[in-house]
């Protein structure tokens, strides 16, 4: 026997886009939807009873997620962020290795943070360590670390959310490893 009265939730689509779907594991289209609870009589929603919040529905698997899932980059965006990070770290280390660079330290630190800060929360610790190690190998290509290279690599470690101890440990490992 059907319910004569109750509360139903009605959903309204307020946006769409592309996101990384944790349900089906890839970049997918989504619908952003806002729900409202309504008192229903004979299955017909009549009176508002409050909001149900916002959710994101995957267009492929139809799984619903909280809206904070949109804070994670798509695989396409993540790949671009990673490429930019590796490129920026390499340029910063190379620039730090040159003698006679005046005033570039602050600009390099700002650029490192602009590129690495959005990426760092999405990296596994091994990914952060690998980016730092790549920079360390570049710095060591022409001999031991210069003070400027060490400062730059320390800034990379901080931007990647690595502790000072982990950064120093990784720089020491890179210095002991033959290239």
């Amino acid at each position: 026997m059907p319910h004569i009265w109750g509360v139903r939730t009605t959903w309204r689509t307020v946006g769409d886009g592309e996101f990384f779907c944790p349900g089906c594991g890839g970049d997918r289209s989504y619908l952003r939807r806002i729900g409202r609870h309504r008192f229903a009589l004979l299955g017909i929603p009549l009176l508002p009873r409050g909001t149900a919040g916002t959710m994101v529905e995957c267009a492929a698997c139809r799984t619903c997620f909280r809206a904070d899932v949109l804070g994670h980059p798509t695989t396409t965006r993540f790949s671009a962020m990673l490429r930019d990070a590796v490129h920026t770290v390499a340029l910063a280390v190379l620039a730090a290795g040159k003698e006679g660079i005046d005033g570039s330290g602050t600009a390099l630190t700002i650029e490192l943070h602009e590129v690495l800060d959005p990426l760092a929360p999405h990296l596994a610790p091994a990914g952060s360590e690998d980016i730092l190690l790549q920079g360390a190998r570049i710095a060591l290509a022409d001999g031991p670390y210069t003070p400027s290279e060490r400062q730059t690599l320390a800034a990379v470690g901080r931007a990647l959310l690595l502790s000072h101890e982990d950064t120093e440990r990784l720089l020491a490992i890179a210095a002991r490893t033959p290239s």
Side-chain angles (χ1 to χ4, degrees), residues 42-162:
L42 299 174
I44 300 170
L46 299 173
L47 303 171
R49 297 286 295 164
T51 61
T54 302
M55 64 105 170
V56 173
E57 180 182 346
C58 176
C61 68
R62 299 304 224 205
T63 305
C64 296
F65 302 96
R66 293 185 354 201
D68 63 353
V69 75
L70 298 178
H72 301 286
T74 63
T75 54
T76 303
R77 176 71 184 126
F78 185 75
S79 295
M81 291 166 68
L82 195 54
R83 181 193 66 238
D84 291 346
V86 171
H87 180 81
T88 302
V89 168
L91 289 176
V93 171
L94 290 170
K98 287 186 169 185
E99 294 301 322
I101 298 174
D102 296 320
S104 65
T106 302
L108 288 173
T109 301
I110 291 170
E111 187 169 351
L112 282 171
H113 280 282
E114 285 177 353
V115 172
L116 298 177
D117 287 353
L119 175 66
H122 304 290
L123 285 174
S128 296
E129 291 177 358
D130 190 53
I131 291 172
L132 180 66
L133 285 170
Q134 288 179 32
R137 288 185 202 105
I138 292 168
L140 292 166
D142 62 350
Y145 301 118
T146 65
S148 181
E149 288 170 335
R150 192 169 267 289
Q151 283 182 321
T152 299
L153 291 167
V156 169
R158 285 190 303 274
L160 291 171
L161 308 176
L162 295 171

